[in-house]
Amino acid sequence: MRALQRAWPLALGLLVAIDLLGPLAFGAAAPPLALHHLEHAFLLVSGGLFAMAYVRRRPKPYGDPLWILAVIGLGTLSLVLMLPDVYGIVDAEPVLHTLLHVGFLVIGWLGGYAAERYAPKLGFGWQLLVIVMGVITATGFGSGPPVA
Amino acid sequence: MAKPVRVQEPVALHAADIGLTPRRLVGMTLSVGLGLIFVLGMIGGIMKAAQGNLIQLQPGTFYALLTLHGAGMISTVVLLTAVALWYVLHDHLSLRPDMLVFSVVAIVWGLVAATVAVLVGGFGPAWTFLYPLPFMGTWPSWSTGLFFFGVLFVGVGFAIFCFDLMAGIIRTYGSIWNGLAWDTWIPRLRRPDGKVAPPSVIAASMVAIDGLITVAAGSVLVVALLAHWFSPKFPIDPLWIKNLTFFFGHTIANLAIYVSAGVIYYILPKYTGRAFHTNKVYALSWAISLFFVPWAWPHHLYMDFVQAPWLQVGGEASTYIATIPATVVTIFGSLLLVYRSDMRWRPGSTLFLAGILGWLVGGVAAMLDATIPFNAVLHNTLWVPAHFHTYLLGGVFLFVLGFTSYFVGERQTPGRLVKAIEWTFFTGLVGFLLMFYAGGIEGVPRREAVQPPPGPILADIATGFVAILLVGLVAMLIEFWVRAKRNAANGEAEGL
């Protein structure tokens, strides 16, 4: 059990690295939109998990309410970055696309960190938020019949 | 060996740091919120009078007022119930007054934005703002954007409340699972000190989790609508956004009831002298509600023939599964608490028990409407506003009034005047609701400025009952105000 606790950041880090660098290295085609949204959710959640593990080793006093505002703002920012107008800029450029995915990982980390700074274990609240948002966006965010 | 993690105590935050005591903060919010409810109720009365041809309203004005009434009432009721739950748990969970300030300010800003969009801009696609209507009306584009920003602010306010509630529960009970009292079922979760969360905390834990799920849905919804508003090229699937609208709107309105349950669990024992006790049945029933409340929304979309059948059937099943456990446990639990107790009848206890009746009646009416064969007949009739007015106005709002009465202090036995006020209020309330149900049975369509017979005559009668209801409400609020001043002068706080 303890070995598993030690190994999960490594295993998750490996998965994140494959997800980020795989398309660059092997030139894989972009996945379908739904899967792409879930990929973003995976990066956000992974970032959040790393942040929770980081803060657990460095407990801090209960923080300022602004940390919670940051959590909410970061959640909204992650959605804004998935808008076609924004995403379209990087979609055709593999390097920029990968950088944006790194951005999702960073947002996930910051969101998890901010939640944990407000109160220990509140990172789970952030994870809940991004998982639900990820699943919902996968069901149809940014897709629909063409607008006349 | 892993190093033990030492967590420091919460920052000692005194309410005085923000210039407000929790009591003053809650009192101010209740005053503003109840005033808003009165104004929005007046708007409801004006709409009824227009449907009954007692006054003339342009259809555009009617639909704008309908939008304000719906969105305003839901937001205000959520605000008031959240503040009530915050007040009864703030000491126990070390909840922070500054977080409540952020939450209240965000929701009030949202309400102001929605009001400006409606009253100045004439925005009027109803609170459901079903796509593509918000983008096709006669109102200016800015009012559409402002209204959606208003919804965003309401969601942000509720998210802040849920996050702080969750933080307080984790701080006090070690984890949200212990807040849900799952330790009564799972020995591994039990705390060394044997402390188990009381029922009010179980309800709060459920609200915190489902509240965040709802806010997540709401944020995707509003970002998508705002994106379409900024750039009409942004594609929206009408069925997807309709599902999302009801996921957010239905669930947040529904959660107001579950927030109220937390308040009931705390306050009702004060009148009866008996306590609610956490046990495995409570924990299980609230766990079932936790999982199924966010899945009940598809019962609003039975008429959408392209909807996936599993969602239709799932929506019906979830409605039944979600509502029965917690409501039965709360309603039976409350009745058993009162039965043969040394009940002290005060305005607060009367309002709480009447609210439980409204919750039950409205809940049964809602479940009927959520049953597919009934829905085929009742959908889009006045039965729908009948059921949600019963459990929101005749249930949740009575809990808010009951809490307010408890909050201002109830040491004196109520006199005849107070009883007369209560009778006036309840007469208006029941009469008003019955006209809605009668309209539903007669198949009068909802959300229409002009109704076919017998809609207008029922609206005429309902207008009279709304007037009686509002007179009763004003008298009740004045009585609360006078009692609050008198008790404050005597140095008496809340309670009996």
Side-chain angles (χ1 to χ4, degrees):
Chain A
M1 192 68 187
R2 197 163 289 165
L4 190 70
Q5 280 175 349
R6 279 189 194 145
W8 78 258
L10 266 179
L12 185 62
L14 194 65
L15 280 175
V16 168
I18 291 169
D19 181 73
L20 288 174
L21 303 174
L24 272 185
F26 306 111
L33 190 62
L35 208 59
H36 203 154
H37 279 306
L38 289 178
E39 187 186 357
H40 294 163
F42 165 71
L43 292 168
L44 287 163
V45 170
S46 302
L49 285 172
F50 289 135
M52 287 171 73
Y54 174 80
V55 178
R56 288 283 159 81
R57 288 156 193 255
R58 299 161 186 78
K60 297 264 199 265
Y62 284 82
D64 201 88
L66 291 176
W67 287 114
I68 287 300
L69 297 187
V71 168
I72 295 167
L74 286 162
T76 311
L77 176 65
S78 72
L79 285 173
V80 171
L81 289 176
M82 290 180 216
L83 292 175
D85 277 3
V86 180
Y87 214 84
I89 300 167
V90 300
D91 220 6
E93 275 297 325
V95 176
L96 285 179
H97 198 157
T98 303
L99 282 177
L100 188 60
H101 280 195
V102 173
F104 283 122
L105 189 71
V106 172
I107 289 173
W109 194 92
L110 290 173
Y113 181 79
E116 289 281 325
R117 280 303 312 274
Y118 180 69
K121 296 189 187 174
L122 199 59
F124 286 115
W126 162 253
Q127 303 289 35
L128 179 69
L129 203 69
V130 291
I131 288 170
V132 176
M133 286 192 329
V135 171
I136 291 175
T137 50
T139 59
F141 185 77
S143 66
V147 182
Chain B
M1 192 172 138
K3 272 194 285 184
V5 173
R6 198 163 53 84
V7 175
Q8 295 183 27
E9 285 302 302
V11 174
L13 186 128
H14 300 290
D17 293 348
I18 52 170
L20 287 171
T21 63
R23 190 168 166 76
R24 194 170 166 77
L25 175 60
V26 171
M28 281 169 59
T29 312
L30 285 174
S31 306
V32 172
L34 291 171
L36 270 173
I37 293 274
F38 174 74
V39 173
L40 293 165
M42 290 264 289
I43 290 174
I46 290 169
M47 287 190 296
K48 275 283 165 215
Q51 286 175 324
N53 301 318
L54 295 173
I55 58 168
Q56 295 298 316
L57 275 187
Q58 291 296 317
T61 310
F62 178 91
Y63 294 118
L65 292 179
L66 183 68
T67 306
L68 182 60
H69 178 79
M73 279 292 193
I74 290 177
S75 307
T76 310
V77 162
V78 166
L79 172 72
L80 289 171
T81 51
V83 163
L85 186 65
W86 185 91
Y87 188 73
V88 300
L89 290 179
H90 79 280
D91 268 343
H92 185 68
L93 299 179
S94 308
L95 300 177
R96 300 171 54 150
D98 49 358
M99 289 300 275
L100 185 68
V101 172
F102 276 111
S103 181
V104 170
V105 167
I107 294 176
V108 170
W109 266 109
L111 277 164
V112 169
T115 305
V116 172
V118 168
L119 293 185
V120 181
F123 184 72
W127 82 261
T128 43
F129 46 84
L130 290 178
Y131 177 83
L133 193 54
F135 304 96
M136 295 174 72
T138 53
W139 45 84
S141 173
W142 65 260
S143 68
T144 303
L146 187 62
F147 187 87
F148 291 145
F149 272 112
V151 176
L152 186 68
F153 270 97
V154 171
V156 166
F158 192 57
I160 295 170
F161 169 74
C162 291
F163 267 120
D164 194 40
L165 203 55
M166 192 179 266
I169 292 161
I170 293 171
R171 193 154 51 213
T172 312
Y173 290 96
S175 75
I176 194 76
W177 317 124
N178 285 4
L180 287 161
W182 287 6
D183 45 355
T184 57
W185 283 95
I186 308 168
R188 200 170 62 82
L189 292 176
R190 277 181 201 150
R191 290 163 56 92
D193 59 6
K195 193 167 148 188
V196 178
S200 52
V201 173
I202 300 176
S205 304
M206 179 269 189
V207 166
I209 296 173
D210 280 353
L212 285 180
I213 292 172
T214 309
V215 166
S219 58
V220 178
L221 164 76
V222 177
V223 170
L225 288 168
L226 281 172
H228 189 80
W229 176 65
F230 274 117
S231 165
K233 280 187 304 179
F234 179 79
I236 288 182
D237 181 326
L239 184 63
W240 177 76
I241 205 91
K242 186 176 181 183
N243 271 295
L244 215 45
T245 303
F246 280 102
F247 187 165
F248 173 64
H250 174 270
T251 315
I252 202 167
N254 208 189
L255 280 177
I257 298 172
Y258 293 88
V259 177
S260 307
V263 180
I264 294 170
Y265 288 147
Y266 181 86
I267 293 184
L268 200 57
K270 311 271 182 196
Y271 297 105
T272 62
R274 293 171 175 168
F276 284 104
H277 293 292
T278 296
N279 54 39
K280 288 183 175 180
V281 176
Y282 265 93
L284 180 65
S285 68
W286 278 92
I288 291 170
S289 294
L290 170 77
F291 286 113
F292 288 97
V293 163
W295 289 103
W297 96 89
H299 66 223
H300 285 273
L301 285 92
Y302 292 148
M303 293 291 157
D304 293 76
F305 58 91
V306 285
Q307 177 90 317
W310 67 270
L311 269 175
Q312 307 284 37
V313 176
E316 178 169 351
S318 297
T319 306
Y320 276 79
I321 298 168
T323 49
I324 290 175
T327 48
V328 167
V329 161
T330 306
I331 290 165
F332 271 99
S334 301
L335 293 179
L336 286 174
L337 210 67
V338 173
Y339 180 65
R340 302 187 80 168
S341 72
D342 189 17
M343 181 79 173
R344 282 189 281 178
W345 289 102
R346 297 285 191 275
S349 52
T350 308
L351 287 161
F352 272 111
L353 286 175
I356 287 171
L357 183 66
W359 182 8
L360 181 66
V361 175
V364 170
M367 284 168 69
L368 269 178
D369 191 33
T371 308
I372 292 172
F374 282 104
N375 189 271
V377 180
L378 296 172
H379 188 86
N380 266 343
T381 70
L382 288 183
W383 188 273
V384 181
H387 89 254
F388 67 69
H389 277 86
T390 311
Y391 69 65
L392 285 176
L393 178 63
V396 178
F397 184 56
L398 296 192
F399 299 142
V400 170
L401 288 174
F403 167 75
T404 311
S405 184
Y406 171 84
F407 178 79
V408 300
E410 299 187 301
R411 281 174 181 75
Q412 295 84 12
T413 310
R416 282 186 182 176
L417 179 64
V418 172
K419 287 180 181 166
I421 291 170
E422 285 172 0
W423 275 107
T424 309
F425 178 80
F426 286 125
T427 303
L429 175 67
V430 172
F432 164 67
L433 293 174
L434 282 176
M435 291 308 107
F436 259 140
Y437 282 110
I441 291 166
E442 291 294 327
V444 177
R446 63 168 170 160
R447 289 194 197 137
E448 298 290 340
V450 180
Q451 294 177 328
I457 184 71
L458 292 173
D460 283 341
I461 302 169
T463 307
F465 281 118
V466 172
I468 296 170
L469 171 67
L470 289 175
V471 167
L473 177 61
V474 169
M476 197 180 282
L477 296 181
I478 291 171
E479 194 273 323
F480 287 171
W481 183 263
V482 170
R483 191 151 32 106
K485 289 285 168 201
R486 189 182 60 214
N487 289 346
N490 295 338
E492 294 171 354
E494 80 270 7
L496 297 147

